[in-house]
Amino acid sequence: EGKLFGGHILPGFIADETQRVFVGSSGIPALREAQNFIRVVLRYARNNGIAFDAATRAVDFGSGWGRYTRFMLKYIHPNNLYGLEVNAPMVEHCRKSFGMANFIKVESLPPCDLRDNLVDLVFGYSVFSHLAPHCADAWIEEFARIMRPGGLLLMTTQGRSFIDYCRNIRESGNRSHPWYISLSKAFADTEQAYRDYDAGQFLHYGEGQYGGTYGESLIPRGYVEKAWLKDFELVDFVDDRA
């Protein structure tokens, strides 16, 4: 559970092994990865008119054990910070650890329990890199509903080079981790995958997880421009792992 310090709750941590199950690392390396992403979020938010004042509201989509949400406590009032998460035990962990009830259990597909035009900022790390096309499209529509005009949506997905990454896993024979076993099957026709990506197609490989909504996904700029700009305008698209 969280600890009281200077009148504020400092969020606690789950066990290292559970951290690794969710994000692939734990402790300081996991927090450094989170810190790097939050720096990107803050830069884009400030450059696009997010004030970070007493009224600013933000959503951590796929909040997990709260490693990104904890960084945002410096910039967003706890009452205005929300976590949306499909895993019920992680929602309960965060509610206890953060001492706040704004962590909300959601299903794989929307809707969520937030009202229309509520939030200014929605961010998510390594969530859209797994969502199936129909699931990703549905959440984009849901974000348009809950966000105020002028709000900013910022999500990561896998880049074009992930196609080669899967091929390298396949050719290496490395099956030391369940994720590698899945990756060895993903985008098996490498050249066709590159052609589809460059043509603006949403690439997804899944094995039925979470009712067919989860797997490995690559979302090119062409798909964003074709499918997601009914309610949004595209501020930037960055394919750079750094």
Side-chain angles (χ1 to χ4, degrees):
E1 294 187 1
K3 299 183 183 299
L4 194 63
F5 178 82
H8 300 279
I9 292 286
L10 296 182
F13 289 87
I14 55 174
D16 283 0
E17 180 55 34
T18 308
Q19 293 180 37
R20 286 191 288 270
V21 166
F22 274 84
V23 303
S25 59
S26 64
I28 291 175
L31 292 178
R32 282 179 175 158
E33 183 179 39
Q35 181 185 42
N36 288 338
F37 176 61
I38 291 299
R39 284 173 172 162
V40 174
V41 171
L42 294 173
R43 183 173 74 249
Y44 275 96
R46 287 167 171 155
N47 288 345
N48 288 278
I50 306 299
F52 292 111
D53 57 25
T56 305
R57 292 186 173 95
V59 167
D60 180 355
F61 181 61
S63 46
W65 51 265
R67 69 166 173 162
Y68 296 102
T69 321
R70 69 182 59 235
F71 280 95
M72 294 305 292
L73 287 169
K74 183 176 180 179
Y75 308 98
I76 304 286
H77 191 283
N79 291 345
N80 294 340
L81 187 57
Y82 302 87
L84 302 182
E85 171 59 42
V86 73
N87 186 288
M90 290 300 97
V91 172
E92 288 306 310
H93 159 76
C94 286
R95 287 176 176 174
K96 293 177 181 177
S97 177
F98 283 74
M100 56 193 237
N102 288 354
F103 290 91
I104 301 169
K105 166 71 170 70
V106 296
E107 301 303 323
S108 298
L109 292 167
C112 67
D113 291 335
L114 298 178
R115 63 174 171 82
D116 294 2
N117 301 317
L118 177 67
V119 300
D120 305 277
L121 174 67
V122 179
F123 62 91
Y125 187 90
S126 193
V127 182
F128 271 66
S129 50
H130 296 292
L131 300 185
H134 72 285
C135 185
D137 290 348
W139 278 109
I140 291 293
E141 290 188 10
E142 180 71 348
F143 296 149
R145 180 186 70 79
I146 67 173
M147 293 180 73
R148 296 174 180 170
L152 179 71
L153 170 64
L154 196 153
M155 294 285 153
T156 68
T157 182
Q158 291 289 5
R160 190 178 186 273
S161 63
F162 191 66
I163 298 170
D164 248 0
Y165 185 79
C166 293
R167 173 167 59 184
N168 292 338
I169 292 290
R170 189 160 47 249
E171 293 177 350
S172 73
N174 185 348
R175 304 296 184 267
S176 60
H177 190 282
W179 190 49
Y180 293 159
I181 296 173
S182 178
L183 293 186
S184 70
K185 307 172 191 175
F187 319 120
D189 187 335
T190 301
E191 297 310 316
Q192 185 61 52
Y194 274 123
R195 287 192 291 271
D196 291 343
Y197 184 94
D198 293 339
Q201 294 188 34
F202 191 128
L203 276 69
H204 177 77
Y205 171 81
E207 297 179 313
Q209 308 98 308
Y210 288 95
T213 63
Y214 184 93
E216 303 297 332
S217 295
L218 291 90
I219 309 172
R221 180 179 186 131
Y223 187 85
V224 175
E225 293 175 338
K226 176 178 65 177
W228 291 353
L229 299 188
K230 177 172 69 75
D231 298 298
F232 293 94
E233 63 178 87
L234 182 58
V235 172
D236 202 359
F237 183 94
V238 181
D239 189 353
D240 179 355
R241 297 195 71 84

